[in-house]
Amino acid sequence: MTQTTAESPARKQRAQLKVRTLRTDRWWLAPALTFAGLMAFLIYGFWAIFDGSYFVDPYIAPFSSPCLATSCPEGARFLGLAPFGDWYGLPPGLLILGLPAGFRVTCYYYRKSYYRSFWLSPPACAVAEPHKKYTGETRLPLIIQNVHRYFFYGAIVIGAVLTYDAILALIHKPGGLGTWILLVNAGLIVAYTLSCHSCRHITAGRLNHFSKHPLRYRAWTFISKLNAKHQQLAWASMFSVMIADFYVRLVAKGVITFPYA
């Protein structure tokens, strides 16, 4: 025979707090800084997409690579190809914007960052959010976040393109400061992409016996170490791509003109 004990009315109700939080630290600082950082990236990205100074041989600005139309300067065309031909005359960045943007927007870390800083859902741990209802990511528009794994494949392509651009700059201008800026940026972009949770799962996340797949286990171990730094790599790569892009545009505009630019 099972004996049950009736719960007291007090245990059935949540604590009735009249304040938003009992925290006394500066909990608002982290979401405020996150908001400022993400807004800076959005504003710069919008400007860069429509800025025409994106190529100076052998550098091409990351926000405009790959360049795939005949409207692009000949040296800026990816592998010398222009598959979009003459009909496309808009900024080259618009063609490929959806891949890296979609990857970052649906990234698990970035979801946390902009949910907290833009939507205050919640703004911090142990701080009440202003929304009355919570549905998670179970309906539109947030259910679309589930396509993150597919954006990962596109991000791999973009990482490969930026690595190609950096290696090309290294071949043609090994002493250029821009070359090393592009190389560092490509390294951070690739590291951030590989540190993705989806990459870790694809590598060996569904295996039941690691001992039967030693190579995949080693790859999973390496990706897991990167995954532990996913947040740091997200921010580092975000700022590195802005710095690299802005540097190339300054050289293209003639603002930076020293011999080893």
Side-chain angles (χ1 to χ4, degrees), residues 49 54 59-68 76-78 92-97 100 157-166 245 249:
I49 287 296
Y54 56 84
Y59 305 145
I60 181 168
F63 274 67
S64 299
S65 181
C67 214
L68 302 172
R77 299 172 192 171
F78 183 66
L94 290 176
L95 283 174
I96 49 90
L97 177 65
V157 174
I158 296 300
V161 169
L162 296 182
T163 301
Y164 170 82
D165 292 341
D245 188 89
R249 293 178 192 277

Side-chain angles (χ1 to χ4, degrees), residues 117-205:
S117 60
F118 282 79
W119 298 345
L120 306 179
S121 182
C125 294
V127 179
E129 59 180 286
H131 311 288
K132 295 181 179 179
K133 295 182 179 180
Y134 175 77
T135 58
E137 297 175 339
T138 60
R139 62 183 185 182
L140 288 173
L142 296 184
I143 196 172
I144 300 175
Q145 303 281 31
N146 291 321
V147 302
H148 176 64
R149 72 192 69 180
Y150 302 109
F151 278 119
F152 165 73
Y153 300 124
I156 287 288
V157 174
I158 296 300
V161 169
L162 296 182
T163 301
Y164 170 82
D165 292 341
I167 292 175
L168 206 62
L170 181 63
I171 293 172
H172 294 285
K173 200 169 185 178
L177 177 59
T179 296
W180 297 102
I181 291 176
L182 291 177
L183 283 169
V184 170
N185 174 62
L188 288 172
I189 291 291
V190 171
Y192 163 65
T193 304
L194 294 180
S195 72
C196 169
H197 297 74
S198 292
C199 180
R200 183 171 180 265
H201 180 72
I202 291 168
T203 304

Side-chain angles (χ1 to χ4, degrees), residues 4 18 25 43 86 97-98 103 111 122 138 161 211 224 246 248:
T4 58
K18 296 182 180 180
D25 62 325
I43 293 171
D86 297 327
L97 177 65
F103 180 62
R111 293 187 213 179
T138 60
V161 169
S211 59
S224 296
F246 191 53
V248 172

Side-chain angles (χ1 to χ4, degrees), residues 242-258:
M242 282 197 296
I243 292 170
D245 188 89
F246 191 53
Y247 181 85
V248 172
R249 293 178 192 277
L250 290 180
V251 176
K253 293 174 184 296
V255 176
I256 295 178
T257 57
F258 48 81

